[in-house]
Amino acid sequence: AGSLRLVGLTKRYRTGDQALSDVTLEVPPGQVLGLIGPSGAGKSTLIRCINRLVEPSAGRVFLDETEITALHAGGLRRARRRMGMIFQEYALVERLTVMENVLSGRLGYVSFWRSLFRRFPPRDIENAFRLLERVGLTEHADKRADALSGGQRQRVGIARALAQEPELLLVDEPTASLDPKTSRQIMRLIREVCAERGLAAIVNIHDVALAQQFMMRIVGLRAGRVVYDGPPEGLTPAV
Ligand code: ADP
Ligand code: ADP
């Protein structure tokens, strides 16, 4: 399990938008951190700067001893394999089965497509099956992803991220497309799987009540700056 460290992370887009200003924080293994703040506060930018889907303008990102911000093509690709991503819109391959989507997380893009036209290693199938068991989807393993409900799809998204055996989870608005009850189930599942594996996670959550209920620590962003960092209980309604 990895620990994440952000030092002076800053992002100014070419449009002039100052999305992040000097954000410094550390997330130890096993900690599930909820990122809250109004729309435009910089939550997505922060998540995307960690794996450099967005290039930071200044500051540094470390995953354990690896400085992510110092890496080039090959090194960055390997480092990204250490970070699982879970998205609002699931980002599944709709025409593939649930099992195949999970295997794609396990094998990575190139090996996955090669295996799809030959065969998948039995060990990887077993591993994927165990993950589907964990998220409660074994009966749906052979269904196409587009045949599932939103909550089921997000479970596939979680299993796929875990299949890559990440050291860190980056979770961007995982429940924004789900109803309240399903949202709570998904948040609970994310929290539990992180606890079981000692995985650090940063979860971008629009809904403050949901964050307070399920996150171990809350970081509040406003206009790209950290305005709260502490336990959920300490959060005042003003944040
Ligand atoms: P970067 O500085 O990271 O290269 P850009 O300013 O080039 O980012 O913008 C990247 C993309 O995001 C462009 O396609 C742009 O149209 C789009 N974009 C621009 N402004 C915004 C905004 N305020 N919110 C979301 N997307 C935006
Ligand atoms: P949040 O996730 O909290 O809603 P974002 O990280 O999406 O916040 O946005 C932070 C700020 O950066 C906003 O002012 C937004 O308009 C701007 N922004 C986001 N993405 C881009 C982009 N690709 N290009 C230019 N500006 C962007």
Side-chain angles (χ1 to χ4, degrees):
S3 82
L4 174 73
R5 196 153 58 93
L6 311 180
V7 184
L9 197 63
T10 296
K11 174 62 183 181
R12 191 182 172 85
Y13 286 102
R14 260 178 271 169
T15 48
D17 285 90
Q18 182 81 29
L20 290 178
S21 301
D22 197 23
V23 172
T24 294
L25 52 91
E26 192 164 353
V27 190
Q31 187 172 72
V32 183
L33 183 155
L35 201 57
I36 64 168
S39 183
K43 303 183 297 295
S44 297
T45 301
L46 189 150
I47 295 241
R48 280 151 208 268
C49 279
I50 293 169
N51 60 6
R52 288 175 56 197
L53 289 180
V54 167
E55 278 300 333
S57 314
R60 312 210 281 171
V61 175
F62 296 88
L63 180 55
D64 284 334
E65 302 307 308
T66 310
E67 186 183 345
I68 305 297
T69 35
L71 298 174
H72 299 286
L76 182 57
R77 227 175 4 255
R78 280 190 297 278
R80 280 181 176 151
R81 296 279 305 154
R82 297 166 60 193
M83 306 186 234
M85 278 213 91
I86 296 170
F87 304 91
Q88 173 179 346
E89 295 296 344
Y90 326 118
L92 304 180
V93 182
E94 301 289 341
R95 293 187 304 168
L96 294 181
T97 66
V98 165
M99 174 60 95
E100 285 162 348
N101 271 281
V102 177
L103 282 164
S104 75
R106 172 104 178 145
L107 295 168
Y109 193 75
V110 174
S111 312
F112 172 77
W113 286 102
R114 201 176 283 139
S115 302
L116 192 57
F117 294 104
R118 295 181 193 163
R119 66 189 197 94
F120 291 104
R123 272 185 44 215
D124 295 319
I125 293 178
E126 265 167 49
N127 174 280
F129 195 79
R130 273 198 302 275
L131 286 168
L132 287 177
E133 236 167 14
R134 178 62 190 88
V135 302
L137 285 179
T138 45
E139 289 141 65
H140 303 291
D142 294 325
K143 281 196 185 152
R144 271 170 54 146
D146 56 11
L148 303 183
S149 70
Q152 290 171 334
R153 285 183 195 204
Q154 194 55 290
R155 288 171 186 276
V156 180
I158 292 168
R160 180 184 56 187
L162 294 175
Q164 89 189 46
E165 293 179 356
E167 295 163 51
L168 173 73
L169 281 185
L170 301 173
V171 191
D172 201 2
E173 298 243 32
T175 63
S177 310
L178 304 175
D179 65 68
K181 178 160 176 260
T182 309
S183 295
R184 288 194 294 275
Q185 291 167 344
I186 292 294
M187 284 297 175
R188 182 174 295 118
L189 181 62
I190 289 172
R191 189 192 156 113
E192 285 174 357
V193 297
C194 287
E196 288 161 13
R197 290 165 170 75
L199 259 181
I202 294 200
V203 189
N204 172 359
I205 310 180
H206 197 77
D207 182 335
V208 176
L210 204 56
Q212 282 190 292
Q213 191 177 352
F214 292 103
M215 298 294 110
M216 301 173 185
R217 170 183 171 193
I218 306 270
V219 166
L221 281 184
R222 185 175 287 261
R225 291 183 187 277
V226 175
V227 294
Y228 179 83
D229 185 353
E233 310 84 69
L235 204 60
T236 59
V239 177

